[in-house]
Amino acid sequence: MKFVLIPVLVVVAALRIWTRRRRRQTSPRSPRPWLTSIKSAVGLVAVREMRERLRGRIFKVGTVFILVVVAAAIIIPVLHNNSRQPPQKIGVVGNLPVSFRTTVESSAKGVGDTLQFVAEPSVKHAKVDLRSGRIDIAIINGLQLVIGHPLSATNSSVDAQLVLALAKNVGFARAVQAAHLSTSQSETLAAAKALPVTSIESGRKRAVDSTSLIGVILIFVMLSQYNTWILIGVMEEKSSRVIEVLLSAVRPIQLLTGKVMGIGLVALAQASLIVAFALALSRAVGSNLTHGTAPLVLVSTLVWLVLGYAFYSWVYAAAGSMAERQDQVQSLALPLSLPMIFGYVMALTQVSSGYPTTLLKILAYLPPTAPFAMPVLVGFGAATWWEFLSSVLISVACTVGVARVAATVYRRSILRTGGRVRVREVFSDAWR
Amino acid sequence: MANVLHLEGLSRRFGALTALEDLTFDVPSGQVVGFLGPNGAGKTTTMRAIFGLTDLDAGVVWWNGGVVGQSERRRFGYMPEERGLYPGMLVGEQLTYLGRLHGMSANAAAAAAAAWLERLGIADRAKSKVEALSHGNQQRVQMAAALLHDPELLVLDEPLAGLDPSGIDVIGEVLATQARAGCCVIFSSHQLDQVENLCESVVIIDQGRLVVTGRVDKLATSGPRRLVVRVEGDRSGSWASGIAGVTISEVKGGVVRLVLDDDVDSDSLLALARGAGRITEFVFERRRLSEVFREAVG
């Protein structure tokens, strides 16, 4: 948990110190009414945004849909793991010594399967039963295995593993019998264990794959949804001309900050609800989402959802202020979403590959892709707390810079109507 | 101390276009001031400059001797030319929200919203969405948004556009009441007859420059005398043609409007008119605002 707690505490403390010092430097005798007015304006705008979004049908339906998907992602694997396979039916033609039967049973146990012996009067009868599915495997006089369909090289099912284990172990048992070994020698050979194999990477990574996957998808879906809200919300205020009424009472930066905060709080509330729901459901059904580093990955996902939203929301708000119609918004949204899509795809690829590459480690330090890459690195156990902190600090610093530029673009674009505003125009002298 | 808005030397260029050029005038309290000018004269830019909605190349907007800032603007009321409200928001909630942005408490804003909706005749639409209202009723809601925080200065860009006669009467009465209560009121309009009825003073600008300002009474009585004559049987006003010092400004429906030089004797004109036929109308007329306007902006 130190991965997340230490960086968050450091960033919060640094921000508080920075804002206090800045306030002292810029306005040593800042009057309270002015500050109160700014806070209240931002708060009012934020509350309106939250109220309108929470009332919306899209939010309600979207939240229920995501919860259903998360529930399915948690419950289905558990049900799959818990579902008992029916016992494998082994047809026995001819004599099968007791020692061989023991070998067959232990082989089935070794691959997590159970079995049931079925006496077959003849090979022909056994083949008929194989075709009809009444038995799964036939052992002919302890000398040969017969199955319905040939095994492919890539088949890794339990059934295939059982066939291979039977072939190997029964063959071995026959060899031991043929060698006329003493009982102790036979037992020694039977008790032989494979050499232990260890890997230099953490053995936990397989356990957190599903958590990282859920986290990355959650971040992508929520960043896409809420940043689109910002984009369309700003555009609608401009196109409905209500912006002029609003800006006669509040500053552009207050309006923008209130909107970003309001929608951001709705996003955080929804994400927290989903994570809490996921953790509670996992604990209830015994999913591995509450084991190992999975809770850490989920908390890291929440942190990076906040940081990712903070970074992208300003960019989307600035873009929204330059558009006046739906088609203009769509043409702006695509290039803005490209870094997100890139980070998302790369993170998904890494999760499925099972190993963090150098590219993923680089992406984890770039603010546009870090919200996707860093939680995956945490899931792999491939990020130390100070690496996590470094990435957080880089993201916060870049967000401050992006917010300043976005506020300028917003202020210069939001009142200009009659067509889409070009970036070149925003920064030209003519439109100060 | 009476409130006063003072615009001093406002200048603004958009590329090659001059929107405002050294524009200076006052808006005193207790009066309704009409802000007139042809399309593109700079009226909307001026109004937006008061609220800091457009940057100025030069000039300052003063309020009671101090430069206008954000805290002053929160005490102003504004109705922009392009009406703007949240289409999907309830009327009552929207007005309460806008009132709170102007510094009102939630209760005070809600009460003021209800009171203004009542006064403007749309109390029953408080729980309707704005988008469900007619154009005229949306305009009334917009008016309420400008008024509900009891502003010290009211700036209205074309508040009468699109209103039916009863709507114009209601808005006119509201503006007069606000002015009598000490509010500075300035509004723009192209309906000059309405402006003449509603306003004590007017400011006329053209190409971003001030061309005329003053009280409507004085502007109406200033300049050359205007005489209206109707002579039976002479619908073209031919009797007045060619008289030295007399200019025919309009002939309409048998009524002749004449502009007299200072040295023209009205008795001799009366005699000339009698000679043309029976006189049914012979009266000196105040200058109408539309004439003042046309003379001012060409």
Side-chain angles (χ1 to χ4, degrees):
Chain A
M1 201 52 81
K2 69 184 178 183
F3 274 95
V4 177
L5 281 180
I6 292 175
V8 169
L9 289 174
V10 168
V11 169
V12 169
L15 281 175
R16 285 190 67 86
I17 292 169
W18 180 72
T19 49
R20 281 184 184 178
R21 290 189 60 175
R22 187 175 166 79
R23 202 178 300 158
R24 282 196 201 117
Q25 286 169 359
T26 52
S27 56
R29 283 177 289 176
S30 178
R32 291 294 298 174
W34 178 83
L35 190 64
T36 309
S37 134
I38 285 180
K39 283 183 178 172
S40 80
V42 171
L44 284 170
V45 175
V47 168
R48 193 203 81 86
E49 290 294 338
M50 290 173 66
R51 193 176 56 225
E52 293 299 311
R53 306 296 168 182
L54 290 174
R55 274 181 186 169
R57 193 175 298 165
I58 293 175
F59 176 80
K60 291 172 185 167
V61 173
T63 303
V64 171
F65 178 75
I66 294 174
L67 289 177
V68 169
V69 170
V70 168
I74 292 168
I75 292 172
I76 289 172
V78 173
L79 291 177
H80 185 258
N81 289 339
N82 291 348
S83 61
R84 294 197 170 275
Q85 297 275 339
Q88 294 286 324
K89 291 181 179 167
I90 310 293
V92 179
V93 179
N95 183 36
L96 188 66
V98 175
S99 59
F100 283 21
R101 284 182 181 251
T102 307
T103 301
V104 171
E105 285 167 347
S106 63
S107 298
K109 196 175 178 183
V111 298
D113 216 343
T114 56
L115 55 78
Q116 177 186 345
F117 289 106
V118 177
E120 292 286 351
S122 65
V123 174
K124 185 179 176 184
H125 199 271
K127 287 182 178 176
V128 170
D129 281 352
L130 273 173
R131 285 198 184 92
S132 68
R134 276 195 289 275
I135 62 173
D136 302 295
I137 304 168
I139 301 177
I140 313 298
N141 300 320
L143 296 172
Q144 184 187 2
L145 296 181
V146 180
I147 57 177
H149 302 284
L151 294 179
S152 71
T154 56
N155 191 340
S156 60
S157 66
V158 173
D159 293 353
Q161 288 179 48
L162 176 61
V163 171
L164 295 174
L166 284 181
K168 180 181 172 189
N169 294 342
V170 175
F172 178 77
R174 281 188 59 81
V176 168
Q177 190 183 48
H180 302 292
L181 299 177
S182 65
T183 307
S184 64
Q185 286 171 323
S186 299
E187 287 173 352
T188 301
L189 283 173
K193 289 182 180 175
L195 291 176
V197 179
T198 58
S199 65
I200 56 174
E201 297 291 343
S202 169
R204 295 171 299 176
K205 65 178 185 290
R206 297 297 300 172
V208 297
D209 278 355
S210 60
T211 315
S212 295
L213 192 66
I214 290 172
V216 168
I217 294 172
L218 184 69
I219 287 177
F220 181 73
V221 169
M222 297 197 71
L223 285 187
S224 300
Q225 176 182 341
Y226 286 99
N227 285 318
T228 302
W229 279 10
I230 292 262
L231 186 70
I232 292 176
V234 171
M235 182 275 293
E236 284 179 343
E237 280 180 349
K238 181 175 179 175
S239 62
S240 71
R241 305 291 191 259
V242 72
I243 189 70
E244 207 162 331
V245 176
L246 299 173
L247 292 184
S248 68
V250 300
R251 296 170 198 274
I253 188 67
Q254 292 174 315
L255 187 61
L256 184 57
T257 306
K259 182 174 283 291
V260 166
M261 273 181 58
I263 294 178
L265 286 171
V266 174
L268 186 61
Q270 190 186 43
S272 300
L273 172 70
I274 292 165
V275 169
F277 172 77
L279 288 173
L281 185 64
S282 300
R283 189 172 289 272
V285 301
S287 163
N288 64 3
L289 213 62
T290 53
H291 300 143
T293 58
L296 182 65
V297 172
L298 281 180
V299 176
S300 166
T301 298
L302 265 186
V303 170
W304 279 101
L305 176 65
V306 172
L307 292 172
Y309 173 80
F311 179 83
Y312 278 107
S313 61
W314 296 102
V315 180
Y316 275 73
S321 71
M322 299 167 78
E324 205 173 345
R325 296 195 314 266
Q326 197 73 33
D327 60 313
Q328 294 171 348
V329 162
Q330 283 165 356
S331 69
L332 283 166
L334 180 63
L336 292 179
S337 61
L338 286 179
M340 265 202 310
I341 293 171
F342 177 68
Y344 173 64
V345 170
M346 290 310 299
L348 279 187
T349 308
Q350 300 292 300
V351 169
S352 56
S353 76
Y355 293 98
T357 62
T358 305
L359 177 61
L360 185 74
K361 290 175 180 171
I362 293 170
L363 295 179
Y365 292 94
L366 303 178
T369 50
F372 306 99
M374 185 49 86
V376 172
L377 271 191
V378 171
F380 280 132
T384 61
W385 70 266
W386 60 266
E387 287 172 329
F388 189 90
L389 173 62
S390 303
S391 181
V392 168
L393 289 176
I394 290 170
S395 184
V396 169
C398 286
T399 299
V400 171
V402 165
R404 290 172 74 105
V405 175
T408 303
V409 172
Y410 179 84
R411 189 177 71 80
R412 294 180 181 180
S413 307
I414 194 70
L415 287 169
R416 195 180 160 206
T417 55
R420 188 183 140 187
V421 182
R422 306 282 166 188
V423 175
R424 186 175 59 249
E425 294 167 343
V426 171
F427 292 102
S428 71
D429 288 336
W431 295 103
R432 282 171 300 130
Chain B
M1 188 182 76
N3 293 323
V4 61
L5 176 76
H6 175 58
L7 309 185
E8 182 181 344
L10 305 191
S11 295
R12 178 70 169 112
R13 294 180 69 84
F14 293 105
L17 176 74
T18 300
L20 300 176
E21 187 173 348
D22 196 25
L23 182 65
T24 299
F25 66 88
D26 286 348
V27 180
S29 65
Q31 291 185 17
V32 179
V33 176
F35 191 35
L36 310 178
N39 292 331
K43 300 187 296 295
T44 297
T45 304
T46 305
M47 291 179 160
R48 294 176 87 181
I50 294 170
F51 287 91
L53 299 175
T54 186
D55 291 328
L56 291 169
D57 298 323
V60 182
V61 180
W62 303 88
W63 176 250
N64 295 337
V67 176
V68 169
Q70 192 63 22
S71 59
E72 286 78 20
R73 290 187 182 114
R74 292 181 83 198
R75 304 199 303 272
F76 297 169
Y78 181 43
M79 183 176 181
E81 179 189 22
E82 296 190 86
R83 312 293 182 237
L85 295 165
Y86 288 108
M89 211 172 163
L90 304 183
V91 169
E93 280 188 5
Q94 180 145 203
L95 289 176
T96 304
Y97 171 63
L98 294 173
R100 297 205 67 195
L101 287 182
H102 282 279
M104 301 176 82
S105 69
N107 289 338
W116 275 109
L117 290 176
E118 180 76 38
R119 185 165 172 188
L120 294 170
I122 47 172
D124 57 328
R125 307 311 299 269
K127 294 196 182 302
S128 300
K129 287 185 176 178
V130 170
E131 62 195 357
L133 268 55
S134 67
H135 174 79
N137 282 345
Q138 286 189 25
Q139 188 127 325
R140 290 174 197 230
V141 175
Q142 194 92 48
M143 190 73 187
L147 287 162
L148 86 166
H149 56 289
D150 196 17
E152 296 171 3
L153 167 68
L154 203 46
V155 179
L156 311 169
D157 202 350
E158 299 280 357
L160 307 178
L163 286 179
D164 59 20
S166 68
I168 291 175
D169 289 346
V170 170
I171 300 296
E173 188 266 328
V174 166
L175 297 186
T177 306
Q178 290 298 111
R180 279 199 298 275
C183 182
C184 296
V185 181
I186 179 170
F187 77 92
S188 68
S189 178
H190 289 293
Q191 294 163 275
L192 299 182
D193 292 341
Q194 300 297 342
V195 172
E196 191 165 7
N197 292 337
L198 290 173
C199 299
E200 282 85 12
S201 301
V202 292
V203 174
I204 302 176
I205 66 170
D206 188 23
Q207 296 181 344
R209 287 186 299 248
L210 179 71
V211 287
V212 169
T213 183
R215 295 187 68 87
V216 174
D217 284 345
K218 285 190 176 178
L219 292 172
T221 55
S222 64
R225 290 169 297 158
R226 288 157 182 278
L227 185 62
V228 179
V229 183
R230 183 198 292 267
V231 178
E232 274 187 0
D234 186 0
R235 295 185 62 80
S236 62
S238 57
W239 66 270
S241 301
I243 303 172
V246 176
T247 307
I248 299 174
S249 71
E250 184 182 87
V251 179
K252 195 173 180 182
V255 175
V256 183
R257 283 191 162 76
L258 306 174
V259 180
L260 313 183
D261 286 353
D262 290 344
D263 56 348
V264 174
D265 178 17
S266 56
D267 289 343
S268 59
L269 276 179
L270 180 61
L272 284 170
R274 271 196 190 120
R278 194 167 79 89
I279 299 172
T280 57
E281 189 174 355
F282 190 91
V283 61
F284 281 100
E285 186 185 58
R286 287 157 50 98
R287 269 208 306 174
R288 289 181 302 172
L289 188 58
S290 57
E291 292 173 286
V292 176
F293 179 81
R294 287 195 189 92
E295 286 171 16
V297 304

